[in-house]
Amino acid sequence: MDLKYIVLMIAIGVTMVLALVRALLGPTVFDRILAVNMFSTKTVVLIAALGFMTDRPDFLDLALLYALVNFMGTVAVLKFVRYGSFDQATANWENEG
Amino acid sequence: MKHHIIVRVISKFLIPFMFLFALYVQFHGDFGPGGGFQAGVIFASAIALYTLVWGLDRAEQAFKPRLIEILIATGVMIYGGTGLLCLFAGGHLLEYRALVEPGHPQHGEHLGIGLVEFGVGITVTAVLTGIFFAFVRRGRT
Amino acid sequence: MTILTLDVTTLIVLCLVLPLISAVLIAALGRWPNLRDGMMVVMATILCGVVCKLVPLIDAGARPELNLVNILPGDHYMPLGFKVEPLGMLFALVASCLYILTAVYAVGYMRGHHEKNQTRFFVCFALAIFAAIGVAFARNVMTLFVFYEVLTLSTYPLVTHHGTDAARRSGRVYLGILLTTSVSMLLLAMIWTYFLAGTLEFTPGGILTGHVDGLMLMVLLGLYAFGTGKAALMPFHRWLPAAMVAPTPVSALLHAVAVVKAGVFTILKVGVYVFGIDLLAGTGASVWLMYVAGFTLICASLVALSKDNLKERLAYSTISQLAYIVLGMALANPDGVLGGALHIATHAVGKITLFFCAGAIYVQLHKTQVSELDGMGRRMPWTFAAFTIASISIIGLPPMGGAWSKWFLALGAADAHQYPLLAALMISSLLNIAYLLPIPMRAFFAKPKPDGRHDHDDHGHAHVHDGLSEGWAMTIPLCITALGCIAMFYFADPLYHMLQPIAAHTQTVVAPITAAAHP
Amino acid sequence: MNQLLYHLPVLQVVIPLLAAPACVVIRQRHLVWLWATVVTWACLAMSIGLLMRVYPTGGAITYEIGGWVAPWGIVYHVDALTALVLVIVTGVGAVVMLYARQSVNDEIPAERHHLFYAAFLLCMTGLLGITVTGDAFNVFVFLEISSLSSYVLIALGRGRRALTASFRYLVMGTIGGTFILIGIGLMYMQTGTLNMADLAARLPAVNDTRTIRAAFAFFTVGVSVKLALFPLHVWLPNAYTYAPSVITSFVAATATKVSVYVLVRFTFIIFGAEFAFTDMKLDVVLLALAIAAMFIGSLVAIYQTNVKRLLAYSSLAQIGYMVLGISLTNVNGLTGSIVHLFNHAMMKGGLFMVMGCVMLRIGSVHLRDMAGLGKRMPWTMAAFVVGGLNLIGVPLTSGFVSKWYLVLGALDRGWWPIAVLILLSSLLAVVYVWRVIEVVYFRDPPEDAPTERCEAPLMMLVMTWLLLGASIVFGVWAQIPAGVSKAAAQMLLGVTP
Amino acid sequence: MVLTAVAIILLRDLFAAVMLWGIFSLLSAGLFVVMDAVDVAFTEAAVGAGISTVLMLGTLTLVPTREKATDRHFQLMPLLICVLTGAALIYGTLDMPAYGEADAPINKHVANYYIRESPRESLIPNFVTTILASYRGYDTFGETTVVFTAGIGVMLLLGGKAKRRGGPSAAPPVKAGAGDDDDHGGAMATAAASASREDAS
């Protein structure tokens, strides 16, 4: 395996571990959210890189899917943290927006 | 709370793309990873995102509870209907090659798989949307 | 009348169906007590007539059969069906004849006592008779067991009739012992028999010969003997005194007509047709049972002696008399078996008279204790006369029916060279005298106790005795049964003749073993 | 017509399955009920048709779904045992459907009836699918359908406790399901196939591997959870007690039976009796647990004051009988086990239906509220007596037929103490049944209680009696159930009749 | 992965547990990718990372986010069962053929047939799809029905505006991640999802 791939893998790996540590330790909610978000971004990168390395274009579909779904997940988490409900604060939000 | 505008703009931009991607997964399942189930999940995610951003009431205008119920049933019925269709066409249940004229079993397979995946997609979309709506509605009280 | 020309299968069907119809009609006519009771007595009479129609046929050697349904498939041949043979015929005859009298008596008793739930009572009564006939005519152990359980269940509401706490408790004991023994032992014995012999049909000479011997045979016999809780062999006799809380006609039913008779009948029938008396005699498997029976009959007599409550005393007397019958079977020789079979009939007639009397005394005088009966003979002379006759019959003195059965039992014991048992029979008869005869003696010869409370009672109920029509409804049956006791002495021959085949047949089958058995 | 008959095995499952979404579409509650009833009765007719095709001729039907032959595709397999279980499930389903109307009107909010009936049909579909399939993984799929729907249906019972009961069932059931899945997965690992017949052919070669032993252990434990074998039964009593009456009747009469069927099928056909019983000593384990279940179940039942719970514990004991028959591993024992599936379905279904009638009329199934009910609901309570006699195993009831074969099986095996234990445990049944009967008939109701007649609605009553009457009919005339069971037992043990 | 799983169990803050759950799902997707099971990874991505997180959060909107402090006395039984299960699993894997080994039974029998024959029998290049929708199409039908059942179930339990159940009975002690009334839907959706996921493997 090419050296650059190894470096790439290690780099992504270290980043993921760091993100994981942050997610585990907290301490605030936002630390965790950010860590998870980062972790998932790195997963996207990792999958894309793996696809590139192994010459499997289907992995790109996977990466794309992650990217899309993660956005939805993050919005959901943020809304939960901010309002404690998926629906309750909508009215205010509508008015303010 | 002006900064919500970011979320809204991006969502507006992303949701059509998610739908498109879902359709891609639905119909490209023959060639790459994915299929009806995954497509349904992505559809439902898109709808969930819409609900998160614009609220349940607007989402329910598009997807009325009654409609969701019918869609849930429709998906299963499409799947089963395909199976029964094969049966009435002279084959066994879900024997897709019976759907087309003899001699082209592969076309039959293709057609049948496409149909059942479509059924799966509809059911999964509707069920997940329905569950999500039920949760959100319940949280309202 | 068409019944005269009916074929024999129809007769069997009628025997079984009539009590059922009777039960349904009783339930239907519940709102019109007079109609209901009249119908019941009429049905009972018809039933008795049908059963009597069967007697000459059986006597002539016919063994009519009736198969209803084969329960299990294929190689498990186990039909639910009936086959009439002398022993069953005897039991059916006893049950159906006494049913008429009991029915008349029960009407009198229930009305005289203003009991509630009379319709339920009579329905269960009819069902019990149905079950008794079923037991009598059963062609195999399976059918017998079925009706045995029907009998248990249909008499349970009778025992708990009053619905009081005491009645419920007794009902629990009654049901508990009868169901427990039958389900845990009789059923096991039955399936085991099937497992060994591959059939459950009652066959002259038995079905177990060659399939089992030694200790296992004894165990199997034990399962049957103790599993038949209705035979009230000690230590499973508790239900019988417990059931005394029930109204007296029920006691009559239990003790004379159906229940305990079904128990001893089962034991006799199993001994004769499943084991075969030759197998028992040949292996000596039933010797222990003789001693259990001997123990029971002495013990129960002693307990009876100590009881002051009239019905309880009679109950223990029954336990003792049942042991005679079991003993007869266990002796495993023709005389013993015949004696046992005859004793079913003679004891039935005698004991029903005693209970009728006890009931009549209770209804008219409100007395339950023996010690309260001093001088009451003058008040109810017919009743106490009947009591005396029946007592003598039970004791086994001529010229009463009981003499014959005890005579044959004694012969059987001598035949089997079981002299201790012969002694036990004699001692027990003496004890019978000691606990039965003092009752009429006191009633006739002792002076009434000067007790104010009693006087009051007497006064109140003398009126009942004289004025109401229910009085005769109780007195007449008990007089008839008392006469029956005497009649059985003089006309025992037909019965003996009819029963002969049970013993006769076995003698001819495997004679050598019998000879070898007695050293 | 012949064409349709040929497809009968799969139509048996697909028709109720597709009828469920149709319920959701129809929505109008009376129509939905009518539709579901028609479908269940049609299913009953189909399963009887199937039974007539495999018995008494003794053949087996195989149906390849999708036209893919085994082991490439999924096949359906119907033999005498399968057909009997199908008849049990559809029979109880059909009777319960007719019974359901008033009871459901009373217990379920009207706007959800269509979903309720859909879930009911799904539950039945799942059970039928488990029964009829010849593919190991397919078992799991349909197990999920039936389990999910039964969790929901149980949670619909009155009061909050139905929810916790259902949740407990969900947790236990999911664990059980996962274990089954692990078992199947491990088997697939070693054989590369999921088809039952193919598995049976390929397993002996790899029998001595630890993988297969672990698979066996996982699978057996998983199924034991589902069938509520003694120490794994904790979900059962509450689930049965708090579920809606209709559901209790249906689930109690069918779900555990199907699990027993799965256990029988896997141990005897797939793993093979020799591996399961000689190598793994499953018979000893099952025997011990079955005896424990028989006695502990009955003993606990004696002390219950809620009659539904009492019956639930009695189910536990009755399951013990079925498992006991399996552990005897001879024709008579196994026949007893299988015929008890059938008989217990009738009696327990009927008894829970009685409780449904009581629930409808007096709103409680607590013993203290039932005093003197014998006068107020004579027909209903007479049905209870009949069912109780069945539980005890009095002759001429179907319970007796089961016991007959079980005891014979125990004697065949030379285990006469087991025979004694079987009979002793039925004595415990006498006690708990009699406790109820005594209260119902011989205890006076409280002073302030109403005394007027309040017999259950005719349709409910008729259906209750239909099941319990059948249990008497098949007790007196056991040719068909016992014959089918015996054929099935001989098939399982490879004995030629 | 193990670390994450343990953390999920130990955490009292349900919200944090949900977040970690997302990470767990991502990790397992990564594992599937490494094992070259793209379809499974795809499903895991769609379900695990996306919708199930949202649904769990949906559950959390209905229940308190902190687990109730039930008395945490040491419970031997569950631990024992877990250890036994784990031991049995490990015991079972000891004899298992190595992953990807060419002559493992799993690769020689049915799977081999699928790989060989599926291109001939259908025009679909992704044979996973062929297996799921055609060879084992009936299983997929079943799975669709499972999803359908889950949908029906949630609507039955949560649907409708009328509050059926009154009575402030004390909420019973429940396990982590479970509320009292509404956990069924979530759990069921998860169960359905996981069931479907298993199907792909």
Side-chain angles (χ1 to χ4, degrees), chain C residues 202-413:
Chain C
F202 289 124
T203 314
I207 53 177
L208 282 171
T209 312
H211 293 296
V212 62
D213 52 7
L215 185 65
M216 279 299 145
L217 191 64
M218 285 195 211
V219 173
L220 190 54
L221 181 68
L223 286 178
Y224 274 114
F226 291 119
T228 315
K230 290 198 173 89
L233 214 52
M234 280 184 182
F236 298 108
H237 64 285
R238 274 292 311 152
W239 64 272
L240 197 47
M244 285 302 111
V245 294
T248 308
V250 175
S251 305
L253 179 82
L254 294 181
H255 288 254
V257 182
V259 178
V260 297
K261 290 300 175 296
V264 286
F265 170 76
T266 303
I267 291 188
L268 265 181
K269 188 130 181 175
V270 165
V272 174
Y273 291 112
V274 170
F275 288 88
I277 54 176
D278 294 315
L279 179 68
L280 291 178
T283 55
S286 60
V287 174
W288 67 270
L289 186 58
M290 295 178 205
Y291 284 91
V292 171
F295 173 79
T296 303
L297 63 87
I298 298 269
C299 243
S301 295
L302 286 171
V303 176
L305 203 53
S306 72
K307 294 288 177 191
D308 190 37
N309 182 305
L310 180 56
K311 279 172 79 178
E312 265 191 74
R313 185 178 285 198
L314 294 180
Y316 276 97
S317 157
T318 303
I319 296 171
S320 158
Q321 302 297 320
L322 293 177
Y324 279 81
I325 302 170
V326 176
L327 176 66
M329 193 283 286
L331 288 171
N333 55 34
D335 283 334
V337 171
L338 278 177
L342 271 179
H343 203 62
I344 289 184
T346 53
H347 173 249
V349 180
K351 196 44 75 57
I352 202 169
T353 316
L354 294 181
F355 272 106
F356 281 173
C357 295
I361 294 165
Y362 177 57
V363 169
Q364 311 293 5
L365 308 177
H366 266 237
K367 303 266 189 256
T368 54
Q369 307 297 318
V370 174
S371 52
E372 297 169 350
L373 295 177
D374 291 356
M376 295 300 159
R378 266 152 289 176
R379 207 181 279 273
M380 302 179 75
W382 288 104
T383 305
F384 279 98
F387 196 98
T388 316
I389 295 172
S391 300
I392 296 171
S393 177
I394 297 281
I395 293 161
L397 293 177
M400 309 298 164
W404 286 121
S405 46
K406 293 216 169 171
W407 168 252
F408 279 114
L409 282 171
L411 270 187

Side-chain angles (χ1 to χ4, degrees), chain E residues 17-41:
Chain E
V18 171
M19 302 286 21
L20 284 177
W21 184 270
I23 291 185
F24 182 80
S25 160
L26 287 168
L27 279 169
S28 46
L31 189 68
F32 293 139
V33 170
V34 172
M35 288 169 86
D36 212 13
V38 186
D39 285 84
V40 186

Side-chain angles (χ1 to χ4, degrees), chain D residues 223-452:
Chain D
V223 176
S224 304
V225 173
K226 286 282 176 187
L227 67 79
L229 186 56
F230 160 60
L232 305 172
H233 67 275
V234 287
W235 59 268
L236 183 140
N238 277 345
Y240 284 10
T241 310
Y242 299 111
S245 315
V246 175
I247 297 311
T248 311
S249 311
F250 181 71
V251 171
T254 55
T256 48
K257 312 293 172 298
V258 171
S259 304
V260 172
Y261 163 83
V262 171
L263 181 67
V264 166
R265 173 135 249 145
F266 270 77
T267 45
F268 283 92
I269 301 280
I270 296 183
F271 288 105
E274 196 195 333
F275 171 70
F277 300 114
T278 315
D279 297 353
M280 299 298 285
K281 300 270 175 271
L282 182 67
D283 52 348
V284 182
V285 178
L286 287 186
L287 180 74
L289 295 181
I291 299 276
M294 277 153 53
F295 280 89
I296 295 175
S298 301
L299 281 174
V300 178
I302 290 173
Y303 292 98
Q304 300 305 314
T305 49
N306 180 320
V307 182
K308 267 175 104 174
R309 184 186 286 268
L310 181 150
L311 291 175
Y313 275 106
S314 138
S315 277
L316 183 59
Q318 302 287 325
I319 288 165
Y321 288 127
M322 296 169 209
V323 175
L324 179 76
I326 298 173
S327 74
L328 295 173
T329 62
N330 55 30
V331 173
N332 276 333
L334 209 50
T335 306
S337 209
I338 296 167
V339 82
H340 200 53
L341 295 183
F342 182 78
N343 294 339
H344 184 245
M346 287 186 297
M347 60 179 103
K348 206 37 89 49
L351 280 170
F352 276 119
M353 280 160 88
V354 169
M355 286 305 122
C357 294
V358 173
M359 193 60 150
L360 181 73
R361 282 304 184 226
I362 67 171
S364 160
V365 288
H366 204 278
L367 212 49
R368 67 165 176 265
D369 299 322
M370 289 172 65
L373 211 56
K375 282 220 179 65
R376 299 181 61 203
M377 306 176 74
W379 284 99
T380 315
M381 284 304 132
F384 185 89
V385 174
V386 170
L389 294 178
N390 263 295
L391 276 183
I392 299 167
V394 173
L396 294 197
T397 62
S398 53
F400 174 75
V401 177
S402 322
K403 250 161 230 175
W404 170 267
Y405 278 108
L406 285 175
V407 172
L408 269 188
L411 291 175
D412 272 347
R413 185 101 194 236
W415 287 348
W416 61 267
I418 303 296
V420 176
L421 286 178
I422 293 173
L423 297 174
L424 283 180
S425 76
S426 48
L427 286 179
L428 297 176
V430 175
V431 179
Y432 62 72
V433 168
W434 220 261
R435 265 192 80 215
V436 180
I437 291 181
E438 206 182 88
V439 168
V440 164
Y441 283 101
F442 301 100
R443 182 155 301 163
D444 294 324
E447 293 298 321
D448 51 341
T451 50
E452 81 285 7

Side-chain angles (χ1 to χ4, degrees), chain D residues 13 17 20-21 24 65 68 71-74 76 109 112 115-116 122 135 137-138 141-142 144-145 148-149 152 155-156 160 163-164 167 170 179 181-182 186 188-194 198 202 209-211 213-214 218, chain E residues 85 88-89 91-92 94-97 105-106 109-111 113-114 121 134-136 138-139 141-143 145-146 148-150 152-153 155-157 159-160 162 164-165 167 169 172 178 180-181 183-184 187-188 195 198-199:
Chain D
V13 179
L17 198 161
V24 178
I65 292 167
W68 303 112
W72 322 124
I74 296 168
Y76 266 9
R112 291 181 211 173
L115 295 175
F116 176 85
L122 284 171
D135 186 277
F137 187 76
N138 206 239
V141 172
F142 279 88
E144 283 296 314
I145 297 179
L148 271 180
S149 45
V152 174
L156 283 174
R160 287 185 94 79
L163 289 171
T164 44
F167 183 68
L170 180 117
F179 271 37
L181 185 66
I182 293 174
L186 291 175
Y188 180 63
M189 270 295 181
Q190 280 295 6
T191 59
T193 184
L194 288 170
D198 201 27
R202 284 166 173 268
T209 58
R210 292 171 183 168
T211 311
R213 273 183 232 155
F218 273 109
Chain E
T85 311
L89 266 177
Y91 174 83
L94 285 182
D95 274 356
M96 226 186 248
I106 195 168
H109 188 43
V110 177
Y113 170 88
Y114 290 149
E121 285 174 339
S134 184
Y135 291 110
R136 302 194 68 83
Y138 193 65
D139 273 349
F141 187 27
E143 293 298 351
T145 316
V146 170
F148 172 67
T149 315
I152 296 271
M155 287 179 183
L156 254 177
L157 291 176
R164 272 192 312 127
R165 301 188 181 86
S169 65
D180 51 8
D181 202 336
D183 53 273
H184 306 304
M188 249 172 265
E198 305 290 356
D199 182 32

Side-chain angles (χ1 to χ4, degrees), chain B residues 49-85:
Chain B
L49 182 57
Y50 184 87
T51 317
L52 286 171
V53 178
W54 278 278
L56 181 64
D57 291 328
R58 271 178 76 172
E60 280 198 333
Q61 278 173 7
F63 298 94
K64 293 193 172 63
R66 178 75 186 126
L67 176 71
I68 291 175
E69 268 186 16
I70 288 181
L71 280 180
I72 290 180
T74 311
V76 177
M77 279 157 73
I78 288 178
Y79 204 131
T82 310
L84 286 182
L85 210 60

Side-chain angles (χ1 to χ4, degrees), chain C residues 70-71 145 168 172 175 195, chain D residues 395 412 434 438 442 478-479:
Chain C
N70 192 8
I71 297 179
F145 186 75
R168 265 208 300 278
R172 256 178 242 161
L175 198 73
F195 174 71
Chain D
D412 272 347
W434 220 261
E438 206 182 88
F442 301 100
Q479 303 275 356

